[in-house]
Amino acid sequence: MKLMKSLVLGSAAMFAGTGAQAADLPVKAKAIEYVKICSLYGAGFYYVPGTDTCIKLGGYVRAAAAVGAQGLWAAPTGGLGGAHNRLSNSYTAQSRFDLGVDTRTATEYGVVRTYAELAFTWTAGGYGGAGSTAVNGATAYNGSNPAGSGSGMISGGNLSVYYAFIQFAGFTFGRTQSQFASPWTNYPANSYDGLPGGAGWEAVNQFAYTADFGQGITASFSAEDQVVGHTTNIWNVSGATAAGLATGSYGAGDIGGVRAPDLVAALRVDQAWGLFQTSVAAHDNHAGYYGVDETTGHPSDKWGWAGQLALSIKNVPTGAGDTINVQGVYTNGASGYNFQSYGPATFALYGGAGVPGAYQSVGVAGVSDSVFVAGAGQQLTTTYGFNGGYTHNWNPNWSSSLWGGFGAVRYNSTAKGYICGAFVTTLALSSGLGGCNPDFNYSVVGATTRWNPVKNLTFTAEIGYVMLDQKYASGSTVTLPVQAGIAKPGAAYELKDQNSLALLLRAQRNW
């Protein structure tokens, strides 16, 4: 009995001692959750620590090369690319880092949202003739990237502010896509930047309000900054020069200071089958002076306008996720809503000549909102166009697109008289006034194939073909001055339709 009692007491003492030692061990603290997932606004949002604001970071890294192009991403329509000679780039390379920051806070008045998107871009430049005094074939680098410290263009680059806006209670304040534009803007199924036929992707500063009527129906009204995205050119033809006409500039640029924003209204219907949108805009054309100072006088302001219809059809019968996007636009004195700012507004494309005595051929054309001469009023320019694209998904990893755009420019008879007077007297147009017509059509067609081997990684190959259909009399010639920047001699050139072709190769990782 004594032995049994000793064993029991000894065991109790042992367990008591073990418990005391365990109690003395440090207890692991519960992990503090510094970043909490915010599920209110979709995937990718997190609470900013210590606040009720949710934030989402996103963006992409991109590397691209455009074969047959002087820049990213459009086939040549002028400048060094349009010269088609030894100063033209065979390809142009670009790298970009894009960062988007989206914040949202729930309030008693609704969600307050801010969004900003910044892009850090390096685009390779080229080498052009070193000015009118160039001798012995001297050239100079003409890239747009600021020079880095120490070694020329090695570490430079550009910072672009794509978006920076606040949204609250239906209002939008800041820089974002125009309310006039369709959701796909100038990209109905493509990556090609220079597509005509509708408002473009480039954001503008604006004050806007969107009313939501339910059932997918919304209406937007905005006052938008017309500089630079909504303005092409206002030309004072009295200031036309041979050097300017040779590049498609039909006069001296004579845009005055901003007097009024563009006024935009849009009605949009979003449904399961797709989308329909109609948009209108009013645009004030405010010119500078007739001459070098304010005593020379000026033309009165003229308001232009633009109208657009857009349609998107989802899940067409060719396959799941296949889409068709189309839009058409008409403008009078507001050409930037058709020939958007990522595309060309002047054209000078060179090719072979078919007329005896001509050194080469050239296609020359220009887009304006209005033109005038000293002592006269503005003549508004009319344009119309369309663009569209079809995307087919072969499987979850492969897709292809067909796309295109068309833009037409039409000057009235008075404007033609101004421009043709300058053409005949300055460039010695061989066909005279009877063979002069500055109207033109500009078309782009292309095809795209994309491969997504893994989620958010895309490899793209895209080809674009541009056509300039000028309206000067067949066989007409002009005498152009020496253009040292693109190494073109002073000589007779045949006015002729032109075209060019380019290929984009791109890799992009979204995150």
Side-chain angles (χ1 to χ4, degrees):
M1 179 63 70
K2 289 182 178 180
L3 179 60
M4 180 62 69
K5 184 177 180 180
S6 298
L7 290 173
V8 171
L9 291 174
S11 299
M14 180 181 68
F15 283 114
T18 302
Q21 291 175 6
D24 292 339
L25 292 176
V27 177
K28 185 177 181 181
K30 183 179 180 180
I32 300 176
E33 191 175 9
Y34 288 102
V35 179
K36 295 189 297 182
I37 294 174
C38 174
S39 59
L40 298 175
Y41 310 109
F45 281 90
Y46 297 87
Y47 282 102
V48 176
T51 75
D52 58 356
T53 295
C54 298
I55 187 170
K56 179 179 181 179
L57 301 179
Y60 61 83
V61 174
R62 172 190 294 174
V67 181
Q70 198 69 27
L72 267 286
W73 158 222
T77 54
L80 289 168
H84 291 149
N85 60 18
R86 291 185 62 83
L87 298 187
S88 306
N89 282 357
S90 295
Y91 73 94
T92 299
Q94 182 187 85
S95 297
R96 173 177 295 164
F97 168 67
D98 178 280
L99 173 64
V101 182
D102 191 348
T103 72
R104 307 190 193 189
T105 306
T107 73
E108 59 269 33
Y109 298 101
V111 175
V112 177
R113 182 192 183 199
T114 68
Y115 183 78
E117 184 176 350
L118 310 177
F120 302 84
T121 306
W122 173 270
T123 304
Y127 288 85
S132 59
T133 60
V135 295
N136 300 324
T139 61
Y141 182 76
N142 56 21
S144 61
N145 301 296
S149 59
S151 55
M153 282 68 67
I154 300 302
S155 58
N158 284 325
L159 170 62
S160 300
V161 180
Y162 285 162
Y163 296 103
F165 64 83
I166 301 169
Q167 289 181 320
F168 173 66
F171 291 94
T172 299
F173 315 90
R175 179 176 172 83
T176 187
Q177 181 179 307
S178 171
Q179 304 302 317
F180 184 92
S182 66
W184 57 88
T185 63
N186 50 303
Y187 303 104
N190 53 290
S191 301
Y192 190 90
D193 292 321
L195 207 63
W201 177 82
E202 184 176 10
V204 293
N205 294 322
Q206 62 185 272
F207 175 87
Y209 177 74
T210 299
D212 190 339
F213 302 108
Q215 304 298 316
I217 302 173
T218 58
S220 297
F221 308 90
S222 60
E224 302 183 359
D225 189 1
Q226 62 169 244
V227 181
V228 170
H230 291 329
T231 301
T232 58
N233 296 295
I234 296 178
W235 279 321
N236 182 346
V237 183
S238 295
T241 64
L245 292 170
T247 64
S249 294
Y250 289 151
D254 206 345
I255 302 172
V258 178
R259 288 296 181 270
D262 282 15
L263 303 177
V264 176
L267 177 66
R268 178 168 157 177
V269 180
D270 284 279
Q271 301 294 323
W273 55 262
L275 170 149
F276 172 78
Q277 179 176 316
T278 180
S279 312
V280 293
H283 174 81
D284 179 37
N285 292 287
H286 179 76
Y289 294 101
Y290 290 132
V292 296
D293 63 62
E294 60 190 32
T295 65
T296 60
H298 60 81
S300 299
D301 286 19
K302 273 195 174 182
W303 281 82
W305 66 277
Q308 179 175 278
L309 297 175
L311 176 68
S312 178
I313 303 175
K314 300 177 181 178
N315 296 317
V316 295
T318 53
D322 290 6
T323 58
I324 295 175
N325 296 322
V326 293
Q327 61 187 7
V329 63
Y330 184 94
T331 75
N332 181 246
S335 303
Y337 289 96
N338 183 3
F339 288 82
Q340 44 87 22
S341 58
Y342 276 25
T346 57
F347 301 78
L349 268 168
Y350 289 84
V355 173
Y359 171 70
Q360 287 181 341
S361 66
V362 63
V364 176
V367 184
S368 68
D369 292 338
S370 73
V371 302
F372 65 91
V373 295
Q378 297 186 69
Q379 302 296 317
L380 300 184
T381 305
T382 296
T383 80
Y384 54 89
F386 61 88
N387 65 46
Y390 163 68
T391 299
H392 173 63
N393 296 283
W394 302 99
N395 56 48
N397 304 104
W398 288 89
S399 66
S400 296
S401 301
L402 297 174
W403 46 269
F406 170 86
V409 173
R410 299 293 182 263
Y411 292 94
N412 66 29
S413 58
T414 303
K416 286 178 181 177
Y418 297 160
I419 296 169
C420 290
F423 244 74
V424 172
T425 59
T426 308
L427 299 184
L429 179 64
S430 64
S431 57
L433 291 175
C436 178
N437 185 353
D439 295 346
F440 71 95
N441 301 327
Y442 172 57
S443 305
V444 185
V445 294
T448 309
T449 294
R450 305 173 189 87
W451 176 44
N452 300 88
V454 296
K455 185 179 180 180
N456 294 328
L457 177 63
T458 304
F459 295 94
T460 301
E462 183 169 272
I463 192 168
Y465 181 69
V466 306
M467 296 159 282
L468 177 64
D469 173 20
Q470 53 90 52
K471 302 299 182 182
Y472 295 101
S474 177
S476 297
T477 62
V478 289
T479 301
L480 300 186
V482 175
Q483 300 176 77
I486 60 173
K488 291 298 181 183
Y493 291 80
E494 178 189 5
L495 291 174
K496 186 180 179 182
D497 297 348
Q498 303 290 338
N499 54 69
S500 63
L501 180 70
L503 170 69
L504 173 71
L505 301 173
R506 174 183 290 173
Q508 180 167 315
R509 169 70 162 93
N510 288 33
W511 56 278

